[in-house]
Amino acid sequence: MKCRVCRGPAVIDVRRHNANFCVEHFVKLCRDQVQKAMREWSMIQPGDKVLVAVSGGKDSLALWDILLDLGYDVSGLYVGLGIGDYSDASATHAREFAVKRGAELIEVDLPSDYGYDIPDGSRAARRAPCSACGMSKRHVFDKAALDGGFDVLATGHNLDDEAAVLFGNVLHWQTDYLGRQLPVLPARDGFPRKVKPLVRLAERETAAYCVVRGIDYLVEECPMAAGNRHLSYKEALNVVESTSPGAKHDFYFGFLARASERFQAEAETDREDLLACLQCGAPTTTEVCAFCRLVERAGGHVEPGGPAHGPQPVTLGRGPR
Ligand code: Q46
Ligand code: ZN
Ligand code: ZN
């Protein structure tokens, strides 16, 4: 097996590209794919302060590593979810990477800062763990990015993730979600710009990237992921990909090129109806946002480090006050 670029010994085959790569050219391929995605979607502008959401897993650490190597002003954000040993181990991986690279890591801990954890929060709110978790993370990510003066929030969603989400949204014809499923969402009142620079890399490639770069990532999967529909969509797409290399890429990028625009008007209409949450000021479609309601039901507190402070004065650009 020879590297497509230099003909030296290859360490990985990328069937989607019908090519093999040595370590040096595989690392270059990953960086090039990230740069290509960022250019294509104008994800990060010169001088932007970037916050990367890191879980300690392969995708977020690979993304952080690549953005640091490309010279971006980038800090990490780790959110402790209170999922037992899994959270302890994921924090360790995020911290060790930050120390190794001399990079800033901002930490928010749901149990100590908000008084609840994901297992209790999901039970109290009668939501599936991943639903309570995803919603909590989105809220904390947005807040940390805005509080820290970051221009852009980057997440490690890869091609497999995006194709699986798209598959689920199409399967159930969630047309409002389809309108929002883009690799970049512009900043607007109460939300930072959100970007997904890894959309051109598959899961297997981010794992291989970490291995060849010596990045010690958390291999263990979250124990609460069992039964998650997202995993079954990934498995289904993996079956297709195994007999038809490039199918995931065509599915996702074909959607972006030829279909996503058709759903954007509906997603835009939803955005017009946003209000400021009476508790925390975050944009929401209800008086009190879903995050504050979940925290309240779980017996936590909305303001980090203390009890909820009651209605906050807020100013939003759109919607009734
Ligand atoms: S951490 Fe949270 Fe994931 Fe665990 S509970 Fe589900 S969403 S699976 S990325
Ligand atoms: Zn090579
Ligand atoms: Zn709120």
Side-chain angles (χ1 to χ4, degrees):
M1 198 162 90
K2 286 189 174 145
C3 171
R4 176 167 81 181
V5 185
C6 68
R7 311 307 297 163
V11 292
I12 185 168
D13 65 309
V14 184
R15 285 181 69 203
R16 198 171 75 256
H17 295 299
N18 196 20
N20 307 317
F21 297 93
C22 69
V23 169
E24 181 193 339
H25 291 114
F26 177 64
V27 168
K28 183 173 183 308
L29 171 87
C30 294
R31 284 189 194 137
D32 288 352
Q33 292 296 326
V34 167
Q35 277 188 303
K36 188 171 177 186
M38 294 203 298
R39 254 198 321 270
E40 208 171 326
W41 295 92
S42 307
M43 291 185 182
I44 302 177
Q45 311 306 325
D48 274 353
K49 264 185 82 179
V50 184
L51 185 63
V52 180
V54 288
S55 65
K58 60 189 183 323
D59 302 307
S60 54
L61 291 183
L63 174 59
W64 198 3
D65 192 65
I66 291 172
L67 292 180
L68 285 167
D69 284 348
L70 291 175
Y72 288 100
D73 175 4
V74 51
S75 302
L77 167 65
Y78 172 77
V79 181
L81 304 168
I83 306 178
D85 294 347
Y86 170 78
S87 285
D88 295 342
S90 59
T92 302
H93 286 275
R95 286 177 197 141
E96 284 179 359
F97 179 87
V99 169
K100 197 169 152 194
R101 293 295 315 245
E104 181 192 31
L105 178 67
I106 297 168
E107 294 196 37
V108 177
D109 188 57
L110 293 184
S112 47
D113 292 331
Y114 289 92
Y116 77 104
D117 59 30
I118 292 303
D120 286 347
S122 71
R123 265 192 299 273
R126 294 207 186 91
R127 292 176 81 126
C130 292
S131 155
C133 181
M135 195 258 288
S136 301
K137 285 193 288 194
R138 278 193 298 278
H139 180 93
V140 174
F141 290 170
D142 290 347
K143 181 168 164 48
L146 293 174
D147 288 354
F150 291 93
D151 302 288
V152 50
L153 172 73
T155 53
H157 295 95
N158 58 39
L159 174 60
D160 296 61
D161 293 322
E162 291 305 293
V165 170
L166 175 61
F167 188 54
N169 287 341
V170 169
L171 205 56
H172 301 290
W173 289 114
Q174 286 173 306
T175 49
D176 49 340
Y177 289 161
L178 285 170
R180 268 174 271 156
Q181 205 192 335
L182 297 168
V184 58
L185 289 176
R188 59 201 173 91
D189 301 317
F191 291 118
R193 187 186 331 139
K194 293 177 185 174
V195 303
K196 298 172 182 171
L198 296 187
V199 289
R200 299 189 66 88
L201 290 176
E203 203 158 278
R204 180 172 169 267
E205 290 145 30
T206 59
Y209 176 87
C210 287
V211 171
V212 301
R213 292 275 299 148
I215 297 171
D216 186 15
Y217 66 91
L218 180 64
V219 178
E220 188 194 328
E221 294 290 341
C222 170
M224 310 210 79
N228 180 329
R229 281 192 297 182
H230 186 70
L231 289 183
S232 64
Y233 300 150
K234 271 192 177 177
E235 282 163 18
L237 289 173
N238 282 341
V239 172
V240 178
E241 182 80 15
S242 67
T243 52
S244 177
K248 276 183 224 175
H249 179 279
D250 289 351
F251 179 49
Y252 177 62
F253 286 98
F255 163 75
L256 292 180
R258 296 206 285 273
S260 90
E261 223 180 342
R262 295 166 194 246
F263 301 101
Q264 278 166 27
E266 190 175 341
E268 207 38 63
T269 313
D270 284 358
R271 285 179 195 157
E272 295 293 334
D273 298 333
L274 291 179
L275 305 161
C277 168
L278 290 176
Q279 293 276 351
C280 71
T284 172
T285 49
T286 48
E287 278 201 346
V288 174
C289 76
F291 175 76
C292 288
R293 282 182 278 138
L294 181 142
V295 174
E296 198 172 294
R297 274 190 219 135
H301 41 77
V302 172
E303 286 298 301
H309 288 192
Q312 304 283 305
V314 287
T315 319
L316 278 185
R318 281 199 279 254
R321 304 278 143 77

